[in-house]
């Protein structure tokens, strides 16, 4: 009788790969940029003392995670306003400063007048910071919105906060902004600003002339390197532990 | 330097000063110094003993203290004399007191008249031959001499200067840090002398200080942070105008 080569070896079915999306995306760490100490000869004790104060303030007022390009609503205590609070809605143009003096600039166009207000993150007069729309832009610095057409900086003052899931990635808006005719406040076409979010409608010769000011050696300059990954991890752990208490 | 907010919402800038290993080194009586009041020599911040001569090291050895980098004299009243060898802490000062801070300013080297004294110089164009940052005339015809103290180029900085009337906002007893209003002469991490004010307007502010000084092994147990009454502490809720 014909002999098979024994019974076919039992092949177990492939194990199902469980992708836990919650745990994966919870690994996304965001450390607010004002926690990272700048390069310098200051005593690290100063930064740790300052960080304690910042964490104390964060326990009282919850400062959400936000980047440049988000649309925020900030309520501050104002002694000269009705109801003693004033609310301002705008797009975050830039975040500056380190430590307790960290600031962010919100821009909006109200009744055809462009308004920019610079708020301090740790100012005790701020009652609430609300994120209305989550949206990262292509650049870190949106100062060119001053020379762009006003429609790109107008936002509804009574905008409802957009609901967003906690563990999704922050969406990047690849909007190319159209500008008013030149002259601009700064020469945004030059490579030292490194702007990717403008739709340049300039002739080709002007774009080539702007490339004359490019400094291709800057990215290879070793003295300018400041590797913050290890510092960031330490600080992130410290901040998270303190906030949980 | 750091920002600080008051309970009414105003912002002030503040300098952090660290009190690092301060010890009283020697007591000089009124007759020895020949001055009006006895003096105490205080030293701060430990350093290596090898770069100083034996005569200077004698003071440190008698006090039983490692070699200090900064040594200063304070004129003290008779009842405020402290035994040499006692350590001094930041809790010697209290929030609300007013203080003078002396330090060596940042050295800028040999500087010209425009940077050192703020002269306007000369225009860049319109026919100026080799004259853009020069002082111009140094005296008149009638004087026929140059007065003493005429502002001229020379060494700028690296000189002891004092800022007066600085309020103390906060004291951290754990790390020995004093938060002093405004800016202070000197570069980052430089050595500084902190003294009670000599200004007459703040005479009332310096009442009831820890006298003669704050003793760590004494009965007084201070909390980790001492705040001024007007200062906003970050544990409080946000400031509102009712």
């Amino acid at each position: 009788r014909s002999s098979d080569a024994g019974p076919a070896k039992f092949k177990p079915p492939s194990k199902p790969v469980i992708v836990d999306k919650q745990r994966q995306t919870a690994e996304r760490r965001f450390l607010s940029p004002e926690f990272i100490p700048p390069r310098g000869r200051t005593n690290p004790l100063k930064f740790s003392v300052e960080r304690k104060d910042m964490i104390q303030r964060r326990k009282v007022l919850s400062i959400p995670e936000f980047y440049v390009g988000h649309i925020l609503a900030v309520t501050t205590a104002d002694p000269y306003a009705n109801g003693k609070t004033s609310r301002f809605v705008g797009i975050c143009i830039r975040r500056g400063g380190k430590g307790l003096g960290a600031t962010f600039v919100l821009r909006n166009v109200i009744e055809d007048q462009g308004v920019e207000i610079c708020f301090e993150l740790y100012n005790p007069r701020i009652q609430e910071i609300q994120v209305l729309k989550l949206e990262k832009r292509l650049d870190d610095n949106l100062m060119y919105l001053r020379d762009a057409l006003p429609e790109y900086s107008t936002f509804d003052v009574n905008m409802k906060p957009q609901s967003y899931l906690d563990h999704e990635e922050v969406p990047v808006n690849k909007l190319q902004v159209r500008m008013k005719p030149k002259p601009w406040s700064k020469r945004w076409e030059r490579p030292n600003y490194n702007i990717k979010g403008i739709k340049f409608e300039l002739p080709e010769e002007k774009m080539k002339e702007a490339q004359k000011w490019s400094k291709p050696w800057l990215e290879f300059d070793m003295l300018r390197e400041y590797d913050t990954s290890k510092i960031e991890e330490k600080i992130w752990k410290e901040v998270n532990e303190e906030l949980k208490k | 330097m750091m920002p600080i907010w008051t309970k009414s919402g105003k912002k002030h800038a503040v300098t952090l000063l660290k009190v690092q290993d301060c010890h009283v080194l020697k007591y000089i009586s009124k007759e020895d110094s020949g001055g009006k009041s006895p003096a105490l020599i205080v030293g701060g911040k430990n350093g290596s003993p090898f770069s100083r001569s034996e005569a200077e090291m004698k003071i440190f050895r008698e006090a039983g203290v490692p070699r200090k980098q900064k040594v200063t004299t304070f004129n003290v009243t008779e009842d405020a004399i402290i035994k040499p060898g006692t350590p001094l802490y930041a809790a010697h000062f209290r929030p609300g007191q007013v203080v003078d801070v002396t330090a060596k300013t940042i050295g800028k080297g040999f500087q010209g008249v425009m940077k050192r004294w703020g002269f306007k110089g000369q225009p860049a164009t319109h026919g100026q031959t080799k004259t853009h940052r020069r002082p111009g005339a140094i005296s008149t015809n009638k004087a026929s001499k140059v007065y003493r103290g005429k502002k001229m180029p020379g060494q700028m900085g690296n000189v002891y200067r004092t800022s007066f009337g600085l309020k103390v906002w906060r004291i951290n007893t754990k790390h020995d840090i004093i938060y002093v209003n405004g800016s202070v002469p000197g570069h980052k991490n430089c050595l500084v002398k902190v003294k009670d004010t000599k200004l007459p307007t703040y005479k009332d502010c310096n009442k009831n200080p820890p006298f003669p000084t704050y003793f760590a092994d004494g009965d007084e147990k201070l909390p980790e942070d001492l705040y001024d009454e007007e200062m906003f502490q970050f544990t409080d809720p946000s400031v509102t105008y009712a």
Side-chain angles (χ1 to χ4, degrees):
Chain A
R1 107 197 163 177
S2 61
S3 56
D4 307 292
K9 273 208 158 170
F10 172 65
K11 258 191 195 172
S14 55
K15 288 199 177 148
V17 177
I18 308 170
V19 171
D20 192 3
K21 280 202 174 160
Q22 288 228 332
R23 207 189 289 174
Q24 254 190 359
T25 43
E27 290 169 9
R28 178 168 68 108
R29 303 167 162 208
F30 172 73
L31 184 66
S32 219
E34 72 263 6
F35 279 104
I36 303 167
R39 212 152 74 132
R41 292 170 78 177
T42 3
N43 205 345
L45 178 64
K46 184 237 178 187
F47 297 123
S48 59
V49 168
E50 220 178 359
R51 234 173 291 139
K52 264 196 214 161
D53 275 340
M54 283 152 77
I55 294 170
Q56 275 293 326
R57 176 71 186 156
R58 279 188 181 237
K59 285 188 190 168
V60 174
L61 167 80
S62 74
I63 297 176
E65 166 190 346
F66 70 97
Y67 300 88
V68 167
H70 281 218
I71 301 176
L72 303 176
V74 175
T75 25
T76 37
D78 198 351
Y80 307 113
N82 300 340
K84 303 298 172 191
T85 50
S86 72
R87 182 182 142 111
F88 187 74
V89 173
I91 184 171
C92 175
I93 299 188
R94 74 158 173 198
R95 291 182 75 159
K98 299 279 179 195
L100 279 175
T103 56
F104 61 102
V105 181
L106 291 186
R107 179 183 165 83
N108 202 346
V109 170
I110 300 178
E111 291 178 16
D112 296 329
Q113 172 63 48
V115 176
E116 286 185 14
I117 302 190
C118 178
F119 292 102
E120 290 151 358
L121 270 177
Y122 296 97
N123 197 333
R125 292 205 342 232
I126 294 187
Q127 320 272 311
E128 193 202 351
I129 304 180
Q130 200 187 23
V131 174
L132 295 178
K133 192 168 180 206
L134 265 175
E135 188 189 64
K136 250 196 202 184
R137 292 288 188 99
L138 290 168
D139 305 306
D140 251 346
N141 208 323
L142 295 179
M143 302 294 252
Y144 55 82
L145 285 179
R146 294 170 180 172
D147 298 315
L149 299 170
E151 60 193 30
Y152 293 102
S153 320
T154 27
F155 297 99
D156 184 21
V157 184
N158 305 319
M159 201 199 288
K160 293 275 167 62
Q162 204 188 51
S163 60
Y164 53 91
L165 296 163
D166 228 352
H167 51 264
E168 270 183 5
E169 287 226 12
V170 179
V172 180
N173 186 359
K174 306 203 174 169
L175 174 68
Q176 299 262 311
V177 155
R178 288 185 59 208
M179 306 288 277
K180 290 192 220 162
K182 267 203 161 194
W184 297 329
S185 57
K186 301 252 178 204
R187 295 170 211 253
W188 302 113
E189 74 274 8
R190 293 226 174 143
N192 63 330
Y193 293 110
N194 196 18
I195 292 182
K196 296 167 194 143
I198 300 185
K199 186 174 185 183
F200 290 111
E201 283 152 5
L202 300 169
E204 280 241 6
E205 308 108 25
K206 300 266 176 169
M207 297 302 287
K208 273 195 183 171
E209 211 195 304
Q211 291 302 317
K212 267 202 257 170
W213 278 269
S214 66
K215 300 183 190 173
W217 59 86
L218 262 189
E219 57 174 316
F220 303 109
D221 196 343
M222 292 175 78
L223 281 181
R224 281 173 205 259
E225 280 171 12
Y226 183 38
D227 188 24
T228 48
S229 45
K230 292 183 190 168
I231 307 173
E232 267 190 48
E233 272 188 35
K234 265 196 221 168
I235 298 177
W236 192 82
K237 271 190 211 164
E238 195 191 314
V239 167
N240 262 36
E241 274 173 30
E242 290 287 319
L243 278 177
K244 278 177 195 163
K245 284 185 193 168
Chain B
M1 284 197 71
M2 244 166 59
I4 250 184
W5 285 274
T6 54
K7 289 193 171 149
S8 52
K10 275 205 174 155
K11 180 170 149 176
H12 297 271
V14 137
T15 317
L16 310 193
L17 304 173
K18 167 128 177 127
V19 176
Q20 202 167 11
D21 316 316
C22 283
H23 287 266
V24 176
L25 296 179
K26 198 171 166 181
Y27 159 67
I28 306 177
S29 59
K30 202 157 73 166
E31 297 80 25
D32 285 347
S33 64
K36 292 185 195 170
S37 56
L40 278 179
I41 302 189
V42 173
K45 192 167 175 197
N46 297 337
S48 89
F50 299 112
S51 45
R52 287 265 162 133
S53 57
E54 268 299 312
E56 290 164 1
M57 291 296 290
K58 211 169 121 188
I59 304 181
F60 299 116
R61 213 175 301 130
E62 278 164 21
V65 134
R67 182 233 151 179
K68 303 288 182 186
Q69 284 196 348
K70 183 152 178 87
V71 174
T72 36
T73 5
F74 289 89
N75 290 331
V76 205
T77 41
E78 283 273 351
D79 43 352
I81 300 168
I82 310 175
K83 186 179 170 184
T86 39
L88 301 173
Y89 299 98
H92 179 93
F93 295 102
R94 288 294 148 93
Q97 276 187 331
V98 186
V99 134
D100 293 341
V101 178
T102 316
K104 265 195 175 174
T105 45
I106 300 181
K108 316 249 174 180
F110 194 101
Q111 285 299 335
V113 111
M114 275 178 87
K115 193 182 191 70
R116 195 176 182 212
W117 299 113
F119 283 15
K120 274 179 82 174
Q122 288 84 24
T125 56
H126 288 300
Q128 309 285 324
T129 36
K130 306 202 279 185
T131 323
H132 305 289
R133 300 182 67 95
R134 299 181 79 192
I138 53 178
S139 189
T140 48
N141 187 15
K142 203 171 174 189
S144 56
K145 68 166 188 175
V146 177
Y147 294 116
R148 186 178 323 206
K150 175 86 194 69
K151 294 183 179 176
M152 281 185 161
Q155 166 69 26
M156 179 177 171
N158 203 23
V159 162
Y160 281 108
R161 288 280 188 259
T162 318
S163 15
F164 298 100
L166 303 179
K167 180 173 169 176
V168 171
W169 283 105
R170 173 179 165 179
I171 296 204
N172 189 323
T173 30
K174 185 176 163 197
H175 296 291
D176 275 335
I177 302 180
I178 309 177
Y179 288 57
V180 154
N181 191 27
S183 58
V184 144
H187 54 89
K188 278 187 235 186
N189 306 328
C190 79
L191 297 160
V192 131
K193 173 178 174 180
V194 181
K195 226 178 129 166
D196 287 328
T197 332
K198 73 170 215 243
L199 296 176
T201 27
Y202 299 114
K203 247 196 264 183
D204 304 324
C205 291
N206 293 350
K207 286 183 178 166
N208 307 327
F211 199 79
T213 187
Y214 167 74
F215 295 104
D217 45 353
D219 299 325
E220 228 184 317
K221 291 286 174 203
L222 288 176
E224 191 188 320
D225 274 308
L226 289 162
Y227 296 92
D228 187 42
E229 302 153 343
E230 281 179 19
M231 193 179 135
F232 171 79
Q233 301 177 28
F234 287 108
T235 38
D236 301 337
S238 312
V239 162
T240 35
Y241 300 101

